[in-house]
C-alpha cells in the first residue's frame, strides 16, 4: 500500500486513492451510530486528517475504542471527499494498526491547553503541539530560503570555526572550552596553566564568525556563514539565548549602502517565501498568536525600509515626549524600548539605523570622516527590535590599528586580521542576522525560547 503524508492526503487530488497514513492521534470522537472519528497528525502540516473508523473493523472494540491523544497508529483505507468542516478529504479506514499506546492518565499533552512556560519542561513532546509544529516548519522554510537567497545572489557558503582562540571578538561574554580538570587544574605562577590544556592555550565557543568570514570575503568575494553562536551574557530576556544560530554574509567591494540594500532585500525575501510557502501555519499564527501579523508582514515584504541615522534617531526620541526607562542621550547605546518605539510607534515599518558613535561600536567598523561616528547599521523590526547588526569594515590599516589601541586590544592577537589590510585591502562590509530573532518576527512568538528546539538560557539546559 502506498504511504502518504497527511499533507498530501488532505489535498483534493488525493480523493479516490488508497493509501496508508501513519501518525499520532490527536482526538477520538465516538458516534452513536457505532463508529468513531480519529483526528490524525503526522507533523507534515498543521491540519489533521480525519479517519472514519467503522464499528465493523475487527479490532474496533479492542483497539480503536482504546485510542487516545498521543497514540501512534498506522491506518490503511480509501481517501474520500469529506463534507466535514475545514477538510476536503477523509480516510475511510479498512484497517487500523496500533503502533504505540499513550496512557491518557500519564500523557502530559492529554489536556489540550498548556502555557508555553509549561511546555518548555517537555521539550521532547512540545513539537507534537500545533504551535511548535508550526514553528518548526517555519524554521525549516526560512533556513531553506536563506540558502536559496544567497545561492541565487552568487554567495559562497563558508564554515567558520565553533571553537576559537580569539577571546576578544568584541561581541559578548564567551564560554570556555577546556579539558582541564575543573576541581584541580594545573597551575603556573598562581594562574591556570593552559599549556596542558587540549589546544595548549585558552579556547572558547565562538560569539561570531565575522572575522573569519572576512578572510573568505577578501579572497572569494561574497560569502555567508550559517551556524551556531554562543554568548555567555547573563541576560534573561525574551530575545536572548546563550546558544543561537546566526547568518553572517560578508562581501568584498560593498560599502554601507550596498550592505543596507542587501539586508533589506534579504529580509523581504524571507518574509515573502514564508508567506507563500507556509500559508497554513502563518494563518495559525495570525489567528492564535498575534492578530495583525499577516498585514504587518505583507507590508514588510512590499515596502521600503526607513533609513535613519543614529543622530537623527536620537533627535526623534528626545523630542517625542515618551517616557523611557533608560535615558536617551547621544553617545549611549539604544535600548530595546527605544528601538521598538522607533520601529513600532514612529515609523511603523522596519528601520535601518546607521552611523553610530564610534565609542560604543567595535574596532572593526569603518570610521566616518566626521571622526565621531562609524559606518554601523542595525535593522530594527516591530516587536523584536534589533534583528540585524552590521557595518562597513575598516579597511585602512593605520586607522584600524589606531582603533585597536583605543580599545586596548593587542595587535599581536589580530596579526592575521591586520594582514588582510596589509595585502590587497579592499572596501568590504557584512552583517549578522539572528536566526531565532527572525523566526520570532515571522511567527509573532513572544519568547525566543519558544522558537528553538532546545533553548539554552542562564540556569537552563535541561534537554
Ligand atoms: P543585542 O543588542 O540585541 O543584544 P547584539 O548587538 O549584541 O544584540 P550582534 O553582536 O550585533 O548582537 O549580533 C548580530 C545579531 O545576532 C543581532 O542583531 C541579533 O539578531 C542576534 N543576536 C545577538 N545576540 C543574541 C542572543 N543572545 N540570542 C539570540 N540572538 C542574538
Ligand atoms: Mn548589534
Amino acid at each position: 500500500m502506498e504511504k502518504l503524508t497527511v499533507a498530501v492526503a488532505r489535498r483534493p487530488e488525493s480523493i479516490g486513492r488508497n493509501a496508508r497514513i501513519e501518525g499520532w492521534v490527536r482526538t477520538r470522537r465516538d458516534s452513536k451510530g457505532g463508529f468513531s472519528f480519529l483526528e490524525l497528525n503526522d507533523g507534515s502540516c498543521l491540519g489533521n486528517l480525519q479517519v472514519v473508523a467503522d464499528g465493523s473493523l475487527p479490532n474496533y472494540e479492542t483497539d480503536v475504542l482504546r485510542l487516545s491523544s498521543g497514540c501512534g497508529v498506522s491506518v490503511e483505507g480509501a481517501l474520500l471527499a469529506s463534507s466535514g468542516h475545514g477538510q476536503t478529504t477523509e480516510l475511510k479506514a479498512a484497517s487500523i494498526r496500533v503502533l504505540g499506546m499513550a496512557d491518557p492518565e500519564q500523557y502530559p499533552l492529554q489536556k489540550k491547553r498548556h502555557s508555553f512556560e509549561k511546555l518548555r519542561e517537555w521539550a521532547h513532546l512540545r513539537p507534537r503541539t500545533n504551535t511548535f509544529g508550526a514553528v518548526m516548519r517555519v524554521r525549516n522554510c526560512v533556513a531553506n530560503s536563506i540558502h536559496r537567497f544567497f545561492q541565487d545572489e552568487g554567495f559562497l557558503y563558508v564554515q567558520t570555526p565553533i571553537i576559537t582562540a580569539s577571546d576578544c571578538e568584541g561581541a559578548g561574554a564567551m564560554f570556555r572550552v577546556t579539558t582541564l580538570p575543573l576541581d584541580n587544574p594545573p597551575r603556573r605562577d598562581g594562574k591556570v596553566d593552559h599549556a596542558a590544556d587540549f589546544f595548549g592555550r585558552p579556547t572558547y565557543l565562538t560569539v561570531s564568525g565575522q572575522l573569519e568570514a572576512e578572510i573568505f570575503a577578501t579572497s572569494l568575494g561574497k560569502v555567508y556563514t550559517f551556524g551556531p553562536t554562543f554568548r555567555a551574557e547573563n541576560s534573561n530576556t525574551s530575545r536572548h539565548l546563550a546558544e543561537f544560530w546566526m547568518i553572517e554574509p560578508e562581501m568584498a567591494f560593498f560599502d554601507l549602502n550596498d550592505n543596507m540594500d542587501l539586508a533589506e532585500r534579504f529580509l523581504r525575501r524571507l518574509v515573502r517565501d514564508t508567506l507563500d510557502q507556509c500559508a497554513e501555519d502563518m494563518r495559525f499564527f495570525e489567528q492564535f498568536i498575534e492578530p495583525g501579523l499577516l498585514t504587518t508582514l505583507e507590508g514588510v515584504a512590499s515596502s521600503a525600509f526607513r533609513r535613519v541615522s543614529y543622530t537623527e534617531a536620537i533627535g526623534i526620541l528626545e523630542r517625542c515626549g515618551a517616557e523611557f526607562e533608560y535615558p536617551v542621550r547621544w553617545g549611549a547605546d539604544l535600548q530595546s524600548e527605544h528601538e521598538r518605539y522607533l520601529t513600532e510607534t514612529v515609523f511603523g515599518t522596519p528601520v535601518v539605523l546607521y552611523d553610530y558613535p564610534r565609542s560604543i561600536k567595535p574596532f572593526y567598523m569603518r570610521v566616518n570622516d566626521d571622526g565621531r561616528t562609524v559606518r554601523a547599521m542595525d535593522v530594527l523590526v516591530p516587536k523584536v527590535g534589533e534583528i540585524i547588526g552590521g557595518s562597513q569594515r575598516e579597511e585602512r590599516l593605520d586607522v584600524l590599528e589606531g582603533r585597536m589601541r583605543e580599545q586596548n586590544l593587542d595587535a599581536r592577537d589580530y596579526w592575521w586580521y591586520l594582514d588582510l589590510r596589509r595585502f590587497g585591502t579592499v572596501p568590504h562590509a557584512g552583517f549578522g542576522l539572528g536566526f531565532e530573532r527572525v523566526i520570532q518576527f515571522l511567527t509573532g512568538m513572544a519568547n525566543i525560547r519558544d522558537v528553538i528546539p532546545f533553548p539554552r538560557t542562564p540556569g537552563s539546559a535541561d534537554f
Side-chain angles (χ1 to χ4, degrees), residues 171 231 233 239-241 244 246 386-389 432-434 437 448:
R231 297 194 183 175
E233 302 146 298
R239 335 177 292 146
H240 288 91
L241 291 163
F244 62 100
M246 186 147 66
E386 177 184 337
I387 198 168
I388 283 179
L433 168 74
R437 295 245 179 118
I448 197 164

Side-chain angles (χ1 to χ4, degrees), residues 142-152 157 224 226 266:
V142 177
N144 181 38
S145 179
I146 286 165
H147 282 295
R148 297 190 95 121
F149 173 82
F150 286 120
Q151 296 297 326
D152 290 352
Y157 173 37
Y224 70 105
F226 186 172
F266 177 44

Side-chain angles (χ1 to χ4, degrees), residues 94-120:
S95 78
I96 295 184
R97 198 152 61 89
V98 179
L99 301 175
M101 294 297 289
D103 181 351
E105 297 296 318
Q106 291 183 48
Y107 183 54
L109 302 184
Q110 179 66 27
K111 190 177 132 234
K112 268 232 150 164
R113 285 206 176 276
H114 294 284
S115 69
F116 291 143
E117 288 79 10
K118 190 75 206 157
L119 286 172
R120 277 174 222 146

Side-chain angles (χ1 to χ4, degrees), residues 371-434:
R372 304 167 73 212
T373 60
V374 290
R375 301 245 80 189
M377 63 170 217
D378 275 4
V379 180
L380 318 177
V381 295
K383 306 278 180 200
V384 179
E386 177 184 337
I387 198 168
I388 283 179
S391 67
Q392 183 173 339
R393 317 306 188 190
E394 183 56 76
E395 84 281 14
R396 297 161 297 185
L397 180 63
D398 53 332
V399 181
L400 189 59
E401 286 173 330
R403 286 278 285 158
M404 291 177 65
R405 279 193 298 277
E406 202 174 290
Q407 302 196 354
N408 296 317
L409 298 172
D410 189 341
R412 282 171 303 186
D413 292 338
Y414 293 92
W415 65 274
W416 56 266
Y417 192 70
L418 294 168
D419 263 6
L420 304 179
R421 279 70 180 168
R422 279 192 193 99
F423 309 122
T425 191
V426 297
H428 63 288
F431 61 81
L433 168 74

